[in-house]
């Protein structure tokens, strides 16, 4: 196997592995959100909407888009650990994701949506009250206006 093949195989393998990690993460995120929403009485939310940036959850009536950003993929200040290999690759990927997040926020806001982004780690129970306050504040704004 020459150098070119080896590196293309590993990129493919890498994306396959990361794809699997990502989809397992999505299921966990969804289950946590469902419990969270139930506990705090948030109703009227939907999943997997075809909006800019594909928000994880939306409240359609109040036009609130909620994203749960993966701590690794989006560079959470608490959890992100720089991988020890392929650092350049990962630095680039994470910073590109963050730029894209901001673009998505802008696009949504321009079209009348409000946006809440929370970190994946904040879907753990101890952070629920904090998240609930943020979501409630945004929903409240929308209902009054
Ligand atoms: Zn985190």
């Amino acid at each position: 196997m020459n150098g070119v093949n080896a590196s293309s195989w590993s990129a493919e393998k890498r994306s396959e592995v990361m794809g699997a990690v990502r989809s397992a993460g999505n299921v966990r995120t969804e289950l946590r959100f469902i419990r969270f929403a139930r506990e705090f009485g948030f109703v009227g939310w939907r999943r997997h909407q075809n909006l800019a940036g594909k928000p994880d959850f939306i409240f359609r009536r109040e036009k609130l888009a909620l994203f749960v950003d993966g701590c690794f993929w989006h560079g959470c200040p608490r959890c992100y650990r720089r991988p020890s290999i392929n650092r350049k690759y990962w630095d680039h990927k994470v910073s590109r994701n963050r730029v894209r997040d901001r673009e998505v926020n802008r696009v949504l806001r321009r079209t009348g949506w409000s946006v809440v982004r929370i970190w994946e780690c904040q879907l753990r129970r101890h952070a629920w009250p904090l998240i609930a306050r943020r979501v409630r504040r945004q929903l409240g704004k929308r209902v009054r206006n």
Side-chain angles (χ1 to χ4, degrees):
M1 195 187 269
N2 66 35
V4 173
N5 283 340
S7 73
S8 82
W9 177 85
S10 79
E12 207 176 281
K13 189 72 187 169
R14 187 162 57 207
S15 89
E16 188 186 305
V17 169
M18 291 306 164
V21 168
R22 222 188 290 237
S23 71
N26 286 345
V27 171
R28 196 178 50 218
T29 294
E30 211 161 285
L31 292 176
R32 282 188 176 157
F33 184 83
I34 289 169
R35 275 184 229 122
F36 160 78
R38 212 174 271 155
E39 178 146 329
F40 288 85
F42 292 118
V43 293
W45 56 271
R46 297 281 174 271
R47 299 168 245 200
H48 305 312
Q49 293 297 312
N50 207 13
L51 276 176
K54 296 194 170 60
D56 294 287
F57 307 98
I58 66 155
F59 292 83
R60 185 181 286 287
R61 191 168 64 93
E62 297 90 349
K63 288 191 94 173
L64 170 66
L66 191 136
F67 292 86
V68 181
D69 290 335
C71 294
F72 178 75
W73 298 100
H74 300 259
C76 170
R78 273 177 302 269
C79 313
Y80 183 69
R81 298 280 173 276
R82 247 174 123 222
S84 54
I85 54 162
N86 294 321
R87 288 203 147 158
K88 266 207 174 118
Y89 170 86
W90 291 113
D91 286 352
H92 179 66
K93 193 162 188 77
V94 169
S95 79
R96 219 175 40 199
N97 284 343
R98 298 183 66 123
V99 167
R100 204 180 42 219
D101 293 343
R102 286 194 292 273
E103 280 166 11
V104 164
N105 292 353
R106 269 197 295 276
V107 170
L108 286 171
R109 285 177 180 139
R110 255 203 310 268
T111 52
W113 287 80
S114 53
V115 179
V116 170
R117 283 187 179 270
I118 65 178
W119 294 107
E120 199 180 7
C121 62
Q122 293 179 307
L123 269 190
R124 299 204 186 106
R125 192 172 281 273
H126 67 88
W128 284 2
L130 177 85
I131 301 309
R133 271 199 300 280
R134 289 182 58 200
V135 170
R136 210 172 269 141
R137 193 158 55 224
Q138 291 302 324
L139 290 177
K141 255 184 217 165
R142 289 312 174 126
V143 168
R144 270 196 304 279
N145 291 343

